[in-house]
Amino acid sequence: MKQKKLQKAFAKILIVTTLLLWIFERMTSVLSDALGKWLYGEKYMQPVDGYVGDRSYGFNTDMHLSLLLIVLFILGMVLYISSKKDTVSEKQTN
């Protein structure tokens, strides 16, 4: 029973944190810039065909960050739903 409460609390923290990070990222783009600099180092934002952008490494860092946040959000939802689910043995003992 205590494990279910802990799982439910962790799921709520994960969901809220993910949503707040998502909002912060959409408003400022600080997270994707930091992620791009960390992933690609000197290649980050190099000019390609005269345009400065993240095409120099072939994949937008916003996509990396969005994928990570989506996975964490879904994990939080799965944990939350599974913590609400009662097992047969718990119903019989109560």
Side-chain angles (χ1 to χ4, degrees):
M1 188 71 160
K2 189 174 184 177
Q3 182 183 5
K4 292 279 187 183
K5 287 183 181 180
L6 184 64
Q7 184 179 358
K8 187 175 180 180
F10 180 69
K12 285 181 182 179
I13 290 170
L14 194 60
I15 291 168
V16 169
T17 304
T18 303
L19 290 175
L20 289 176
L21 283 173
W22 218 329
I23 291 169
F24 179 71
E25 166 58 24
R26 290 297 122 209
M27 291 175 68
T28 63
S29 296
V30 170
L31 297 174
S32 62
D33 288 342
L35 181 64
K37 289 175 186 174
W38 179 69
L39 284 174
Y40 302 108
E42 293 180 13
K43 291 182 179 179
Y44 183 68
M45 299 298 270
Q46 293 292 316
V48 175
D49 296 330
Y51 295 104
V52 176
D54 52 7
R55 290 185 284 161
S56 58
Y57 43 83
F59 198 65
N60 196 340
T61 54
D62 289 341
M63 294 302 292
H64 286 290
L65 187 62
S66 295
L67 180 64
L68 175 68
L69 291 176
I70 288 169
V71 168
L72 290 177
F73 182 78
I74 291 172
L75 177 66
M77 292 300 292
V78 168
L79 286 174
Y80 185 77
I81 291 170
S82 68
S83 70
K84 302 281 273 179
K85 192 175 182 182
D86 287 336
T87 59
V88 175
S89 61
E90 285 181 10
K91 286 183 180 179
Q92 290 176 351
T93 58
N94 292 332

